[in-house]
Amino acid sequence: MWDATVWAAMTWLKLTALLAVAVGVCWLVFGAGSGGFVLAVIVAAVVELYLTRQLAREWAYEAAMRWWWSP
């Protein structure tokens, strides 16, 4: 089960880092006070929430297939 947990955690960290880089690039391109930057931050937050929820579902599905986790 630890392999699924480590996979989910590492995937979450990679996606979070990718979104942080994307927001950083938008900050450099648009500037901190522009509407484009605000939109990029909002989109990144929504994407982060969606991907975190999907990873949690995937982890729970994997955990349900193991002997120590009963649904």
Side-chain angles (χ1 to χ4, degrees):
M1 187 56 219
W2 284 110
D3 56 340
T5 303
V6 170
W7 171 82
M10 293 305 294
T11 302
W12 177 77
L13 284 172
K14 288 176 190 177
L15 292 172
T16 301
L18 182 66
L19 287 172
V21 168
V23 168
V25 168
C26 289
W27 174 66
L28 289 173
V29 171
F30 297 123
S34 70
F37 176 70
V38 172
L39 182 63
V41 170
I42 292 170
V43 168
V46 169
V47 168
E48 178 77 19
L49 288 172
Y50 176 76
L51 291 176
T52 301
R53 183 174 173 169
Q54 295 301 350
L55 277 171
R57 283 183 180 184
E58 181 70 23
W59 182 87
Y61 178 75
E62 286 291 324
M65 297 298 172
R66 306 291 187 217
W67 62 271
W68 61 272
W69 183 285
S70 58

